[in-house]
Amino acid sequence: GGGGGGEEVVRGGIVFVDDASKMADDLCSSRSKVIGEEVGYSTRWLAFKHLTYVDPTGKERKWDMVGRATRAEGATADAVCIFATLKKAGEEDTILLVRQFRPPMRGETIELPAGLIDGTEAPESAALRELKEETGFVGTISNGVHGSGVTPPLPLSPGLSNETVQLVRVDVDLDAPENANPVQELEGSEFITVLRVPKRGLRAQLDSLAGRGYHVFAGLYTLALGMELNE
């Protein structure tokens, strides 16, 4: 393909990268950048924005997006989601899922426990707080053989929004007295059903739930598929 100013611009292509630190910075998409932003409409929770960006040929283009209006300056991400593993002596591990009505889907979803980060709250603190509020369980951050229990900020739907989430792995000791009788601490607008499901065979459980008409969160299904491939 051609480019501006006599410079050739490669459109796409396949690049094999065996070390992310060596990824070329002059790939086609790397030359794009946002040069303007206009807020068209905003609420307490969301902002609809019109972006202007320059593509690799130097041509200006437009893009509409929606972003959260709740992210504080300096916050690492918009929200956290929690992969909570419940452990009890003599039993196989289980995990916590939540079922709730999501108006945009016009139905109920199956998700991981999750919530917005308050201000510049650390993702670990946000995860333990949201876990207690949504499920009633008290957990500890998992920092085992797999490294840090917290992921980098991850985009959820980058063609639509700049919303990011950090996945936090948490262990819940069911033999601990604080988890003997968990009680949710829901806000008035929250109606959340807590599901405890076997960790092994999670994808089959999600397929069954989807077959019953529930909307399974994409990140949860992807995680379950990865776990299955590792089994």
Side-chain angles (χ1 to χ4, degrees):
E7 182 181 4
E8 183 178 359
V9 177
V10 179
R11 295 187 179 276
I14 299 174
V15 178
F16 176 76
V17 178
D18 60 353
D19 182 350
S21 66
K22 298 178 181 178
M23 180 175 287
D25 291 328
D26 60 349
L27 302 179
C28 176
S29 60
S30 301
R31 304 181 187 184
S32 302
K33 63 179 179 179
V34 175
I35 61 172
E37 174 184 304
E38 176 188 351
V39 178
Y41 180 76
S42 63
T43 70
R44 174 186 174 188
W45 302 104
L46 299 172
F48 184 83
K49 301 178 182 181
H50 308 288
L51 303 180
T52 303
Y53 73 99
V54 178
D55 74 12
T57 69
K59 181 177 181 178
E60 288 191 11
R61 297 183 181 275
K62 302 294 185 181
W63 196 280
D64 291 337
M65 63 159 286
V66 62
R68 288 197 178 275
T70 51
R71 185 194 298 187
E73 186 174 350
T76 58
D78 292 285
V80 293
C81 56
I82 304 106
F83 186 79
T85 301
L86 282 63
K87 298 177 177 293
K88 185 175 180 61
E91 296 184 4
E92 287 198 12
D93 291 349
T94 54
I95 65 169
L96 289 176
L97 306 179
V98 293
R99 189 187 80 201
Q100 58 186 316
F101 180 78
R102 293 294 196 183
M105 298 302 300
R106 292 168 169 77
E108 289 183 289
T109 59
I110 304 296
E111 310 174 19
L112 293 170
L116 297 176
I117 292 175
D118 287 344
T120 57
E121 182 182 29
E124 295 91 340
S125 299
L128 296 179
R129 173 180 54 77
E130 287 289 348
L131 181 68
K132 182 68 166 63
E133 292 175 2
E134 291 196 356
T135 72
F137 286 102
V138 176
T140 58
I141 304 299
S142 174
N143 288 303
V145 295
H146 300 292
S148 172
V150 183
T151 69
L154 306 171
L156 288 175
S157 185
L160 173 68
S161 175
N162 65 344
E163 180 185 22
T164 58
V165 64
Q166 288 181 270
L167 176 65
V168 182
R169 291 187 293 116
V170 173
D171 290 332
V172 175
D173 181 4
L174 293 181
D175 292 314
E178 60 266 27
N179 290 317
N181 296 291
V183 178
Q184 293 170 287
E185 301 172 2
L186 301 176
E187 298 179 3
S189 61
E190 293 181 311
F191 301 89
I192 296 174
T193 300
V194 180
L195 307 177
R196 181 183 170 191
V197 301
K199 191 173 185 179
R200 185 180 297 275
L202 175 59
R203 189 172 76 93
Q205 295 275 353
L206 297 179
D207 284 340
S208 175
L209 289 164
R212 293 165 57 189
Y214 297 110
H215 304 283
V216 178
F217 172 49
L220 170 59
Y221 196 93
T222 303
L223 180 61
L225 180 60
M227 292 166 59
E228 181 181 82
L229 294 173
N230 191 50
E231 290 179 355

